[in-house]
Amino acid sequence: MFSQAIAPFSDQNKNIHQNWRGDTEKYTINTDLQLQLNAMKDASPAFLSTSTSRLLNTVWEFGTKMNFNPSSSNYLRMYVASDNADLTKELQGLYIRVGYTNKHVSLHSQSGKTSKTLINGTSKRLDMPNVSLRVKLTIDHTGFCSLYSKLEGESIFFLEGTSQLDKEPPVAYLGLTSYFTATRSQHFYFENIVLDILDKDMENLQEPGLWADSLDIVINEILPNPFLGGEEYVELYNRSDKTIDLSSLSILMRNADMSFNKAYPLSHKKEPFLPDTYLLLTKSKENVCQFYACPSLLSCQEIAMPTLTNAGGNLVVINNINNTIIDEFAYNDKMHSAGLASKKGVSLERIDVEGASNDWKNWQSASAENNYGTPGTANSQRLAGLEDGVEIIVPTIAMDEYQIRYKFASAGNMCRAIIFDSSGKVVRSLFNNQLLGTEGVLYWNGRGNSNQTLNSGVYILYFEINDQRSGKVKKFKLPVVVLNK
């Protein structure tokens, strides 16, 4: 099992030359077995570096002491990744800064000579005559960073902030660089510099069964254009027989040039995605479920998400362990049912989980009876191997409405339903251009158009469906017995 302890230091001076390269003459190991800056007054900056190959799924921790109030002239950088052994030159890397103008702990990426702030810690946290603290950085296997600090006298680490790496910097060296003025050239101290595996279970995750292969998981439903006050969502379906680790997956959108935009991990810890289950991805479950009938045992990940452009785009699910594309859906708002008055709040549902992801015929608008969305549960337009049929269930003591149950072999049917009396007169227009799913139930309270009580007798339900894809029209006529006391 990997563990790299760069310190504590021992055998005064010997370890510096054995384990480090760079300005070794500017540092010493003091009698307290601390690495101490011991430079000439005009020798700033002073760096030490050593080889490493770790970045992801790693935790770094070190102690440092400064016998002064840090400033923009007196501060240090701890590099956790660099492609250049000389940490004072142009490089590609990642470093923790302690001190500087804001007197705080922060995390930065570096490209050439340019640095970018990733985590801007608590300002003035180090504003004191003498600073003694421990610093910890964790980076999980998705590149999610968490930076912590613990001042002398504090019992627990304080979270300075978090950030997601846009890309993984090259890793060849780690090390430290001290920036100092003449009066501070011997007042930097370092101890207990250690890096180790963050998640040992993830390090041992070598079984392919825990990772998704192409099309093990499919994009099953998306809502790019939510109702006012709602939230965008994506639904995934695990159609494999594997229990897949969610932290091995990310979701992203392609840019206009088809390059990948920022990837968003589905989890920052190991979590199971079980076979034959649905998973809702959204920024706010509450904002989704206020509009749709979410299942009581909803499997949901509330995560940072890529923005789903209303008009269309390319949505991608990737395995972030080996960068395999698991599924990709090039959606377009023109894929919605032509009979819809508005596409706001209407999701696109996959009809057949075994069908092609980018076959327009494999997608349809969610049904009206489901309020145009089925997040976290089976799609209203799913292919279920049904044969066309309509039946009526008359009211019982347990229910006071007629149930009109239907099932169709194809998705995307518009429905028209009318109740006639025995003379052929229309007594109730139930539905007109109602978008149905492949299976469901509609309700009628047994009353007329003006909500009046109908005379007892035999009535006729005329039920017409229009398959918008084929243009075929199917008609059903069923007798309905109305009994009123």
Side-chain angles (χ1 to χ4, degrees), residues 280-309:
L280 174 65
L281 306 176
T282 184
K283 293 179 181 177
S284 172
K285 178 175 70 173
E286 180 181 358
N287 288 348
V288 170
C289 294
Q290 67 176 317
F291 292 103
Y292 307 101
C294 295
S296 57
L297 297 177
L298 175 65
S299 181
C300 177
Q301 292 292 108
E302 289 185 296
I303 59 172
M305 292 267 293
T307 299
L308 305 177
T309 307

Side-chain angles (χ1 to χ4, degrees), residues 66 72 98 223 246 271 357 378 412 475:
M66 303 174 181
S72 59
V98 180
L223 178 68
L246 280 180
E271 294 185 75
S357 297
K475 302 174 182 179

Side-chain angles (χ1 to χ4, degrees), residues 51-84:
S51 298
T52 188
S53 59
R54 292 199 62 88
L55 182 71
L56 301 184
N57 194 31
T58 303
V59 55
W60 293 260
E61 187 176 333
F62 65 93
T64 185
K65 183 172 69 172
M66 303 174 181
N67 289 340
F68 53 85
N69 190 318
S71 67
S72 59
S73 301
N74 292 283
Y75 64 96
L76 68 90
R77 292 182 177 183
M78 179 65 71
Y79 280 85
V80 299
S82 172
D83 65 345
N84 192 337

